[in-house]
């Protein structure tokens, strides 16, 4: 949130008009001094509906704090908590370290955020582009084997306000600070703590999208205003539109493969263009069902029809189910209390969520993505209350695809689609290796020629030296 008041600033917030309620939980020594969880989460309430937490512990299990965060979201269904996953994915030459996502990001209902690389001026020299996950980004799963992180956003050298306590009125300097440096009123840092407010600001925009009546037509209309979308709905929209990342940038140690629904990128990178419908400005149209309720053993079904008649070009149908449930017992090994199952029937085939070939019994966010859908085709979405601890469960369901809207007319290629940083790095490595190889060959050839010349013109000298050595001996 926040922006330069007199012009567009170099570090304007994702949601520049949002209002902040801030809780200071640290001292000058860098120690965390958190109040009790309910007091902390009530900061700014009832006006504030999004809590952004760029802090955490190294505890990978379901703690009492994780339970309290889950319970607060359950009791305040419009509220959404977004938490940094942590920066322990690599350490002292070790990479891709599992089970490093820490509490309170281990909670069920929150969104745990990982970090990917930045681009342009903000990108540190030698880094790959934004399609690659930062090596430090903490990995899942949680101790009870739930997928974490949930989503990934830019967190490598992100520009932000850098208040100087000794200066009044500091603003953008004439020279914008480079990666991980400070200048004037700006500061560049890296970490999932920087990625988390990116997601939080985007969540605020999605909330405003519904409140201002942009849904479902993609244009602001007060008659369509939805004043109080649930936290589950905002979370579902974010998760549903997340896009694939290519791997982990481990620097000179290479790239580690990563795929959606693994414990490195979760559902993928944040992408607002693939999450909501703004006529002519985004890639998809959106269908939502908020605060739906289902009783144990029941099945709710929904129908969507692909419609490309007005120019929409999206090739995928994406469907996401999110439910917010009560907190579990600390230390739980099977922490999900109410198990809902998402499936989509399409072309006579059943599709299951999160890259699996059967129902997901572990996570409370489930997504199905079907590629290559055509206009006129129909999909049946099913939500099955497979096993509930309580009589019923509330949930949010979203679907994106072509549902009769227009195509994205914005010009230019995404920085993710045009990211050829790995190819450039490979070319540089090959060029360096070739140069070194040519140099070595030249050196070997030089010494070989010198030796041949010495042997052909200086053989007597060699014999004399040997004889001299024998005589002196």
């Amino acid at each position: 949130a926040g922006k330069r008041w007199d012009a567009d600033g170099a570090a304007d917030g994702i949601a520049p008009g949002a209002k902040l309620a801030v809780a200071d939980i640290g001292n000058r020594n860098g120690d965390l001094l958190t109040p009790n969880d309910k007091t902390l989460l009530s900061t700014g309430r009832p006006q504030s509906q999004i809590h952004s937490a760029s802090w955490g512990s190294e505890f990978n299990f379901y703690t009492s704090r994780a339970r309290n965060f889950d319970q607060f979201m359950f009791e305040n269904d419009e509220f959404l908590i977004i938490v940094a996953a942590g920066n322990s994915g690599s350490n002292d030459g070790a990479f891709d370290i599992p089970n490093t996502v820490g509490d309170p990001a281990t909670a069920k209902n929150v969104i745990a955020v990982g970090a990917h690389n930045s681009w342009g001026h903000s990108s540190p020299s030698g880094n790959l582009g934004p399609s690659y996950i930062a090596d430090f980004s903490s990995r899942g799963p949680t101790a009870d084997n739930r997928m974490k992180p949930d989503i990934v956003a830019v967190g490598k050298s992100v520009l932000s306000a850098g208040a100087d306590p000794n200066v009044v009125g500091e603003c953008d300097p004439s020279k914008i600070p480079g990666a991980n440096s400070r200048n004037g009123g700006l500061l560049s840092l890296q970490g999932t703590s920087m990625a988390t407010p990116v997601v939080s600001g985007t969540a605020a925009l999605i909330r405003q999208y519904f409140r201002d009546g942009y849904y479902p037509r993609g244009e602001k209309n007060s008659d369509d205003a939805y004043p109080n979308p649930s936290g589950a709905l905002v979370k579902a929209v974010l998760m549903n539109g997340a896009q694939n990342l290519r791997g982990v940038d481990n620097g000179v140690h290479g790239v580690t493969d990563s795929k959606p629904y693994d414990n490195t990128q979760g559902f993928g990178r944040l992408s607002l263009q693939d999450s909501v419908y703004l006529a002519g400005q985004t890639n998809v149209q959106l269908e939502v069902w908020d605060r739906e309720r289902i009783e144990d053993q029941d099945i709710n079904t929904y129908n969507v029809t692909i419609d490309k008649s007005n120019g929409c070009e999206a090739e995928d149908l994406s469907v996401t189910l999110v439910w917010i449930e009560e907190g579990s017992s600390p230390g739980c090994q099977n922490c999900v209390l109410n198990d809902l199952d998402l499936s989509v029937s399409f072309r006579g085939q059943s599709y299951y969520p999160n890259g699996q070939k059967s129902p997901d019994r572990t996570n409370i966010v489930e997504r199905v993505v079907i590629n290559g859908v055509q206009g006129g085709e129909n999909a049946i979405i099913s939500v099955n209350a497979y096993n509930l601890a309580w009589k019923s469960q509330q949930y949010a369901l979203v679907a994106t695809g072509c549902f009769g809207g227009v195509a994205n007319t914005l010009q230019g290629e995404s920085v993710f689609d045009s990211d050829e940083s790995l190819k450039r790095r490979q070319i540089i490595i090959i060029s360096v290796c070739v140069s070194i190889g040519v140099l070595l060959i030249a050196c070997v050839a030089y010494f070989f020629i010198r030796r041949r010349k010495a042997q052909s013109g200086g053989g007597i000298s060699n014999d004399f030296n040997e004889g001299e050595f024998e005589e002196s001996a």
Side-chain angles (χ1 to χ4, degrees):
K3 71 181 298 294
R4 180 170 172 168
W5 68 271
D6 59 343
D8 290 335
D12 288 350
I14 300 295
K19 294 180 173 61
L20 298 177
V22 180
D24 187 350
I25 61 170
N27 61 22
R28 65 180 59 190
N29 297 321
D31 301 319
L32 289 179
L33 303 172
T34 57
N36 73 73
D37 298 323
K38 189 170 184 178
T39 299
L40 176 63
L41 296 175
S42 297
T43 302
R45 297 282 293 157
Q47 289 80 12
S48 63
Q49 307 292 5
I50 297 168
H51 182 90
S52 186
S54 288
W55 58 276
S57 75
E58 295 182 354
F59 299 125
N60 181 247
F61 56 90
Y62 192 84
T63 63
S64 58
R65 172 172 284 131
R67 176 199 60 197
N68 294 342
F69 275 44
D70 280 342
Q71 192 65 27
F72 194 92
M73 281 189 62
F74 177 76
E75 293 173 358
N76 301 273
D77 90 321
E78 76 287 357
F79 199 67
L80 179 61
I81 303 173
I82 301 168
V83 185
N87 304 319
S88 302
S90 63
N91 185 34
D92 294 332
F95 296 92
D96 303 303
I97 306 173
N99 302 104
T100 46
V101 168
D103 146 78
T106 56
K108 298 176 296 182
N109 297 333
V110 308
I111 298 178
V113 182
H116 67 70
N117 286 356
S118 55
W119 61 94
H121 180 79
S122 297
S123 182
S125 176
N127 275 213
L128 294 179
S131 298
Y132 296 88
I133 302 155
D135 64 291
F136 59 75
S137 186
S138 284
R139 313 294 205 275
T142 60
D144 60 300
N145 208 37
R146 283 176 291 114
M147 183 201 316
K148 293 286 178 177
D150 297 299
I151 202 167
V152 182
V154 59
K156 195 73 173 283
S157 304
V158 177
L159 203 59
S160 181
D164 187 341
N166 299 316
V167 177
V168 176
E170 66 269 44
C171 199
D172 290 359
S174 57
K175 182 179 180 181
I176 303 302
N180 304 316
S181 62
R182 174 194 291 271
N183 191 20
L186 298 180
L187 173 67
S188 172
L189 289 174
Q190 67 180 27
T192 58
S193 290
M194 302 301 283
T196 299
V198 172
V199 177
S200 300
T202 306
L205 293 180
I206 292 172
R207 183 173 171 78
Q208 181 183 5
Y209 174 86
F210 288 108
R211 287 173 57 86
D212 286 355
Y214 283 92
Y215 175 79
R217 308 180 204 189
E219 296 174 338
K220 188 174 182 179
N221 187 324
S222 59
D223 292 337
D224 293 326
Y226 182 29
N228 194 26
S230 72
L233 176 60
V234 175
K235 179 179 178 180
V237 171
L238 283 166
M239 306 288 275
N240 188 64
Q243 301 294 297
N244 301 356
L245 288 162
R246 301 179 189 175
V248 182
D249 179 8
N250 293 315
V252 297
H253 299 279
V255 173
T256 305
D257 288 338
S258 176
K259 296 180 180 179
Y261 316 115
D262 66 11
N263 288 295
T264 298
Q265 64 173 285
F267 283 71
R269 65 169 174 84
L270 178 72
S271 177
L272 196 55
Q273 274 206 334
D274 297 287
S275 299
V276 298
Y277 179 48
L278 291 173
Q281 300 181 60
T282 58
N283 299 326
V284 295
Q285 287 87 63
L286 177 68
E287 293 281 355
V288 309
W289 299 267
D290 195 19
R291 294 186 173 94
E292 297 285 287
R293 186 163 290 278
I294 191 170
E295 295 191 355
D296 193 27
Q297 302 298 306
D298 281 354
I299 299 176
N300 292 347
T301 59
Y302 308 82
N303 289 275
V304 293
T305 300
I306 305 302
D307 181 359
K308 299 187 177 184
S309 60
N310 286 325
C312 175
E313 300 173 346
E315 298 180 352
D316 299 340
L317 170 66
S318 182
V319 182
T320 298
L321 168 69
V322 170
W323 68 96
I324 304 299
E325 62 176 35
E326 293 190 65
S328 301
S329 299
C332 54
Q333 291 302 305
N334 296 291
C335 296
V336 174
L337 300 175
N338 294 324
D339 185 6
L340 304 185
D341 290 332
L342 172 68
S343 64
V344 179
S345 178
F346 186 75
R347 296 176 185 168
Q349 180 179 346
S350 292
Y351 290 82
Y352 295 98
N354 301 350
Q356 301 185 23
K357 296 181 179 180
S358 60
D360 186 334
R361 304 283 185 227
T362 308
N363 299 289
I364 64 169
V365 180
E366 301 187 357
R367 182 178 70 175
V368 171
V369 179
I370 302 174
N371 309 119
V373 297
Q374 302 297 321
E377 293 187 300
N378 186 66
I380 301 174
I381 304 166
S382 297
V383 177
N384 177 16
Y386 173 75
N387 187 12
L388 306 187
W390 314 113
K391 181 180 179 180
S392 65
Q393 173 64 49
Q394 181 175 285
Y395 62 88
L397 183 70
V398 306
T400 52
C402 287
F403 304 135
V406 299
N408 187 348
T409 59
L410 294 180
Q411 300 297 313
E413 191 175 25
S414 160
V415 294
F416 298 95
D417 295 335
S418 61
D419 185 357
E420 296 186 347
S421 55
L422 180 59
K423 183 184 295 185
R424 289 195 296 270
R425 176 185 281 181
Q426 291 170 337
I427 291 173
I428 292 171
I429 292 173
I430 291 172
S431 300
V432 171
C433 290
V434 168
S435 299
I436 293 173
V438 169
L439 182 61
L440 288 174
I441 292 171
C443 290
V444 170
Y446 173 76
F447 287 113
F448 179 75
I449 292 170
R450 285 284 304 271
R451 182 183 178 110
R452 287 293 298 272
K453 285 183 177 180
Q455 289 176 342
S456 60
I460 295 173
S461 175
N462 288 340
D463 291 342
F464 175 78
N465 288 337
E466 290 173 6
E468 183 179 44
F469 177 78
E470 291 172 359
E471 199 171 308
S472 63

